[in-house]
Amino acid sequence: MRLHDSLGRETRTFEPLRPGRVTVYGCGPTVYDFAHIGNFRAFVAYDLLHRHLRRRGHEVDFVVNFTDVDDKTIRGAADAGLQLSEHTEPFAEAFLDDAETLGFLPFSSHPRATAYIPAMVAFVGRLVEKGHAYRAADGSVYYSVPSFADYGRLSGKGEEEAAGRARIDAAGFEKRDPRDFALWKAAQPVDERVGAVWDSPWGRGRPGWHLECSVMAGSLLGDTVDIHMGGEDLLFPHHENEIAQSEAATARPLARFWLHVRHLKVDARKMSKSLGNFHTVRELLDEGYDPAAIRWALLAAHYRSELNFTRDGLDDATARVQRLLDLRRRVRECPAATGSGARLATRAGEHLEAFGAALDDDLNVPRALAALWALVREVNTALDGAGGRMSRGDREAVLGALAGMDAVLGVLDLAAASREVAGAEDDRVRRLVEARERARGDRDFATADRIREELAAEGIRLEDTPEGTRWTRVRAGGPFPA
C-alpha cells in the first residue's frame, strides 16, 4: 500500500509502526455549528481509509477529535447565552448522528479538548522548561517559533511568508516573533462568562487551538502516529504548529505520514453562506437526497483532487447507486444455470483484485470505481446472453466481489436501508405512481405535480426513466420532519 505524504511530498510505501495495528489521528470538527458538506468531504475520506485498512486486515486505532474550546465555540456560546458545554455538545452529537447517517464505521474515540486540560497544562510546562515557550506579561504562553529549526518543513513556507500569514497584534499579545503562536491564552471576560477558563501555573486561561490536537493525539495514540489526516486548509498553520510543539516536546516525529484532503467547491464556487451554497448533510436529506447518494458524491473523486459538488452530481450519484442495487438484486434473484461458470467467477475475482490495487495506490477511488463498473458491465452482459441465468458458483463470486468492494465504499447496504418502502405501503405508492403517469399522459401536470409533492412529503423520491417511473424511499423511517 502506498500513500502520499504531504511532509515528504512523495508517494511511498506505507507500513505501520507496529505490524498489524495502524494508528490514525484525524482533525475533527469545531463544534460551534453543524458540520457542513465541505467538512464531510474530509471525513468521508477518513472513513474510506479506515475501511480500506480494515479490509487489508489491519487493526485500526482511529481518533477523530472534537474542538470544543476555541474562539468560535466561545463566541457562539456567548451569543447564545449558554455555558460552553451547553453550546458545543449538541453539535458534537449532531456530527455523530450525521456520521452514522452517512454510514461511517465508528471511530475508536472522539475526545473533547476540554477533557484534556490537565495534560495540556503539563505539555506547555515541558515546552517552557525546554526553552521552546515563554510567558508574556498578560499571562499568556507562546511557542517560540525560532527555537524550532525545522519550522516550515510541512508547508514549505519561508520565514518571511510564514510571518506574513501569522496573526500579529504586538500590542495586545507581546510576541517576541510575529510567527509565535499561543499555547495558553490568558482568560478574558467572555471566557469567564461561558466557563471556558481553567487554572494554570501562568494564571487562569484556556488552551490554544494548535495545542489541543497535539495533546489529544499523544495522550491516546503515543508520541508518533502512523497517519495524521486533515483538510488542506489545516496544513498551515495548524499542522505546521502541531509538528513544532510536539516534536520540540518529545524529540520524536509526530506522524509518519501526513494526508491532506483537497477542498470542496459547490457549483464551482467556494462554499459560503453569503452565496447561498452553504449546505449541511441534514439540509440535503431534507431536499430528498438519500445518504448513499451524498456519500457517493463525496467519495467519488480522489481525495487529493478538488471536488465540485453539484445537484447534478447528486442526481448522478443517486442513479449510480441505484444501478448497483439493481445489479445486486438481479444477481440475487436470477435463476440458476447449469454448469460451473468458472470464467465469470474468475473475472469477478480479477475485478475485485483491481479494485483493491487501485485503493492501495494512494486511495485512487476513480480507478477503483472503474474496476467496479467493469464488473457491472460484464455481469449484465453475461446475464443478458444467458437468458438472465447464472450458475451458483458465478453468483457467489459476483456477490462476493460486490460485497468486498462495498466493504470499502459503504454505499450498497446504506442505500438499501434508506430506499426500501415497507410492504404495506408498496401497493398504495404504486397506485399513486401509476395515477401520476396517467395524469402526465393526459397532460394534467397539476395533478402529476400534486402527487409528486405528496410522495415527497412522505420521503418517496420519484425518478422518471425511459422505462417508466422508479420510486424509492430516500430516508428510512418515514416522512421527513417538518
Side-chain angles (χ1 to χ4, degrees), residues 127-134 142-145 147-148 183 248-249:
L127 290 173
V128 171
E129 290 174 6
K130 289 173 175 281
H132 290 288
Y134 58 92
Y142 291 93
Y143 184 87
S144 174
V145 168
S147 73
F148 189 70
L183 296 168

Side-chain angles (χ1 to χ4, degrees), residues 36 47 121 150 247 347 352 383 394 416 474 478:
H36 55 67
D47 187 60
V121 170
D150 285 339
E247 298 189 3
R347 293 292 292 154
L352 178 59
L383 284 169
D394 280 349
V474 295

Side-chain angles (χ1 to χ4, degrees), residues 49-92:
L49 175 66
H50 192 184
R51 286 170 172 270
H52 186 55
L53 290 169
R54 288 267 299 267
R55 177 73 179 163
R56 285 179 55 87
H58 294 291
E59 176 188 347
V60 185
D61 198 351
F62 205 132
V63 172
V64 177
N65 75 292
F66 289 129
T67 297
D68 64 347
V69 54
D70 78 327
D71 293 345
K72 291 179 179 178
T73 55
I74 291 169
R75 184 165 56 248
D79 290 345
L82 298 172
Q83 290 294 286
L84 184 66
S85 62
E86 293 174 331
H87 178 66
T88 59
E89 193 58 27
F91 294 121

Side-chain angles (χ1 to χ4, degrees), residues 20-37:
R21 178 177 180 263
V22 181
T23 56
V24 189
Y25 185 86
C27 285
T30 300
V31 286
Y32 70 101
D33 202 345
F34 294 109
H36 55 67
I37 56 171

Side-chain angles (χ1 to χ4, degrees), residues 168-456:
I168 303 172
D169 187 348
F173 296 108
E174 303 178 8
K175 296 180 181 181
R176 295 176 182 172
D177 186 285
R179 297 171 299 164
D180 294 351
F181 56 90
L183 296 168
W184 186 260
K185 295 186 175 184
Q188 302 299 313
V190 66
D191 303 334
E192 296 280 5
R193 191 160 66 248
V194 302
V197 289
W198 293 267
D199 292 326
S200 81
W202 315 283
R204 287 173 65 76
R206 61 181 175 89
W209 172 41
H210 311 301
L211 171 70
E212 296 173 7
C213 284
S214 284
V215 171
M216 286 185 282
S219 297
L220 293 168
L221 299 174
D223 291 342
T224 301
V225 300
D226 286 309
I227 302 170
H228 196 311
M229 296 189 75
E232 66 174 340
D233 57 311
L234 299 180
L235 193 147
F236 182 86
H238 185 53
H239 290 163
E240 191 76 76
N241 291 351
E242 277 191 65
I243 289 173
Q245 63 200 10
S246 292
E247 298 189 3
T250 68
R252 296 176 182 173
L254 172 56
R256 299 173 58 244
F257 281 79
W258 288 86
L259 272 60
H260 288 95
V261 184
R262 287 290 304 276
H263 284 144
L264 174 145
K265 288 187 175 180
V266 177
D267 298 320
R269 297 185 297 176
K270 183 177 180 180
M271 185 170 55
S272 74
K273 291 183 178 179
S274 63
L275 293 174
N277 63 353
F278 183 94
H279 305 298
T280 66
V281 170
R282 292 157 187 245
E283 290 169 349
L284 293 173
L285 292 171
D286 287 343
E287 287 182 27
Y289 293 103
D290 74 345
I294 298 170
R295 181 182 173 90
W296 182 282
L298 291 172
L299 67 73
H302 193 282
Y303 78 93
R304 287 194 292 117
S305 299
E306 191 173 78
L307 174 63
N308 186 32
F309 192 88
T310 67
R311 294 300 194 287
D312 287 344
L314 275 173
D315 291 337
D316 179 70
T318 300
R320 288 179 180 273
V321 172
Q322 189 63 49
R323 185 181 173 194
L324 293 178
L325 286 173
D326 291 345
L327 174 74
R328 187 170 71 171
R329 185 182 303 111
R330 187 182 187 192
V331 173
R332 283 175 172 175
E333 297 176 358
C334 70
T338 58
S340 64
R343 181 182 179 281
L344 189 56
T346 299
R347 293 292 292 154
E350 291 171 350
H351 290 308
L352 178 59
E353 184 176 349
F355 177 91
L359 292 175
D360 278 344
D361 183 17
D362 193 33
L363 302 178
N364 193 327
V365 173
R367 209 173 84 210
L369 293 181
L372 168 62
W373 293 123
L375 172 65
V376 171
R377 289 191 297 271
E378 194 159 342
V379 172
N380 276 323
T381 298
L383 284 169
D384 292 343
R389 294 178 176 273
M390 181 181 288
S391 73
R392 288 187 176 86
D394 280 349
R395 179 190 298 164
E396 291 176 3
V398 169
L399 292 175
L402 284 173
M405 294 176 180
D406 195 55
V408 181
L409 297 177
V411 294
L412 276 172
D413 290 338
L414 182 65
S418 63
R419 296 189 184 193
E420 289 177 354
V421 178
E425 290 288 300
D426 287 7
D427 290 341
R428 188 183 72 84
V429 173
R430 288 193 185 97
R431 287 196 300 271
L432 286 171
V433 170
E434 289 168 0
R436 177 176 174 273
E437 289 183 327
R438 288 194 299 272
R440 293 177 71 209
D442 294 338
R443 303 185 65 78
D444 182 3
F445 298 118
T447 297
D449 289 345
R450 178 183 57 76
I451 294 172
R452 175 187 282 276
E453 290 170 3
E454 178 183 342
L455 291 172

